[in-house]
């Protein structure tokens, strides 16, 4: 059965789910929802996602919200892919980085994205932008150091851990900013961005 993904592609969280489905070669239908597309506050939608946010996944009569949870679900649904590690410690290494993306990395860089992409130039808050960049730089250094000794976030193979952070880096690299060199992080990201399955997710202009 074809999956249905509700959400506009301009959302980083929707891109996570789309990238996952494409990496797993899962057929899906995506329905624009949220922001200018509306839908998310209709009774029909909030009955399935009471948060009135995107993404929302429909897998037959099963629905799921929260982007990283959907990534986990889709990867676990296809155990042969290896994206959802079966060995306990390996799985929780991947889980750790997925949670870090949501609780640490995304909050640090979000304001830079809001200021540079979604705020008109004359209304930008320079202090908020500078604070966001300053909060993000040490996190990029953590990623670069981590990737110095491994090919992917959880080891030598691509797993669910790489997906949310790749989408975060797509957003960060899309901002008009000067950046410090982080060769290990750049190498890792280019390896993922150049995968055929990344098209339509990691090559989408920011908006």
């Amino acid at each position: 059965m074809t999956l249905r993904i509700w959400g506009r592609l301009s959302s980083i969280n929707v891109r996570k789910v789309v990238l996952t489905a494409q990496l797993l070669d899962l057929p899906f239908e995506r329905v624009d929802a949220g922001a200018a597309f509306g839908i998310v506050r209709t009774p029909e939608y909030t009955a399935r996602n009471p948060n009135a946010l995107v993404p929302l996944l429909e897998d037959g009569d099963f629905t799921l919200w929260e982007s990283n949870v959907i990534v986990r679900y889709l990867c676990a649904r296809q155990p042969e892919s290896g994206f959802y590690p079966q060995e306990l410690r390996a799985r929780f290494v991947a889980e750790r980085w997925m949670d870090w993306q949501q609780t640490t990395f995304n909050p640090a860089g979000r304001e830079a994205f809001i200021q540079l992409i979604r705020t008109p130039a004359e209304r930008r808050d320079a202090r908020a932008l500078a604070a966001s960049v300053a909060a993000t730089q040490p996190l990029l250094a953590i990623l670069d150091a981590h990737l110095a000794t491994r090919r992917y976030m959880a080891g030598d193979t691509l797993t669910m851990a790489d997906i949310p952070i790749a989408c975060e880096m797509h957003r960060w690299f899309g901002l008009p900013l000067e950046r410090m060199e982080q060769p290990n992080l750049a190498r890792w990201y280019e390896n993922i961005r150049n995968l055929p399955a990344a098209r339509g997710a990691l090559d989408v202009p920011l908006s």
Side-chain angles (χ1 to χ4, degrees), residues 71-91:
V71 172
R72 291 178 174 100
Y73 170 75
L74 292 177
C75 291
R77 186 179 181 270
Q78 303 290 122
E80 70 280 2
S81 70
F83 282 24
Y84 188 81
Q86 298 302 300
E87 195 275 322
L88 188 64
R89 292 185 179 183
R91 183 186 310 166

Side-chain angles (χ1 to χ4, degrees), residues 20-21 27 31 35 39 43 46 72 98 104 119 122 139 166 175 192 196 202:
T20 304
V31 181
I39 298 176
T46 56
R72 291 178 174 100
M98 294 180 77
T104 303
T119 303
E122 67 277 9
L139 305 181
L175 299 179
I192 297 174
L202 299 184

Side-chain angles (χ1 to χ4, degrees), residues 69-133:
V69 171
I70 297 172
V71 172
R72 291 178 174 100
Y73 170 75
L74 292 177
C75 291
R77 186 179 181 270
Q78 303 290 122
E80 70 280 2
S81 70
F83 282 24
Y84 188 81
Q86 298 302 300
E87 195 275 322
L88 188 64
R89 292 185 179 183
R91 183 186 310 166
F92 279 91
V93 168
E95 295 273 11
R96 173 184 64 192
W97 286 109
M98 294 180 77
D99 282 3
W100 183 83
Q101 180 271 326
Q102 282 193 316
T103 63
T104 303
F105 195 21
N106 181 270
R110 185 175 185 275
E111 191 60 37
F113 166 73
I114 294 296
Q115 293 298 323
L116 291 172
I117 303 299
R118 294 193 173 166
T119 303
E122 67 277 9
R123 292 172 48 198
R124 288 176 187 159
D125 183 333
R127 288 186 179 180
L129 172 59
S132 181
V133 172

Side-chain angles (χ1 to χ4, degrees), residues 25-205:
D25 199 24
L26 296 172
F28 68 92
E29 171 194 6
R30 188 181 60 80
V31 181
D32 280 322
F37 297 102
I39 298 176
V40 296
R41 297 199 178 276
T42 62
E44 294 79 10
Y45 190 91
T46 56
R48 290 170 290 174
N49 184 351
N51 302 289
L53 296 171
V54 294
L56 171 70
L57 176 75
E58 290 183 314
D59 184 4
D61 61 357
F62 178 66
T63 59
L64 200 60
W65 39 267
E66 285 297 321
S67 60
N68 281 8
V69 171
I70 297 172
V71 172
R72 291 178 174 100
Y73 170 75
L74 292 177
C75 291
R77 186 179 181 270
Q78 303 290 122
E80 70 280 2
S81 70
F83 282 24
Y84 188 81
Q86 298 302 300
E87 195 275 322
L88 188 64
R89 292 185 179 183
R91 183 186 310 166
F92 279 91
V93 168
E95 295 273 11
R96 173 184 64 192
W97 286 109
M98 294 180 77
D99 282 3
W100 183 83
Q101 180 271 326
Q102 282 193 316
T103 63
T104 303
F105 195 21
N106 181 270
R110 185 175 185 275
E111 191 60 37
F113 166 73
I114 294 296
Q115 293 298 323
L116 291 172
I117 303 299
R118 294 193 173 166
T119 303
E122 67 277 9
R123 292 172 48 198
R124 288 176 187 159
D125 183 333
R127 288 186 179 180
L129 172 59
S132 181
V133 172
T136 302
Q137 291 294 357
L139 305 181
L140 298 173
I142 288 172
L143 285 172
D144 191 66
H146 178 72
L147 289 163
T149 57
R150 52 190 56 80
R151 189 175 181 190
Y152 294 106
M153 291 303 304
D156 292 329
T157 60
L158 190 69
T159 69
M160 61 185 184
D162 297 282
I163 295 168
I165 296 177
C167 290
E168 199 74 58
M169 290 311 306
H170 162 261
R171 189 163 81 170
W172 185 256
F173 283 142
L175 299 179
L177 290 169
E178 290 188 17
R179 295 176 186 81
M180 297 173 60
E181 283 193 22
Q182 271 119 10
N184 304 308
L185 180 56
R187 177 264 307 159
W188 165 85
Y189 179 69
E190 284 303 301
N191 284 344
I192 297 174
R193 191 178 71 88
N194 289 331
L195 294 171
R199 294 172 190 158
L202 299 184
D203 57 358
V204 177

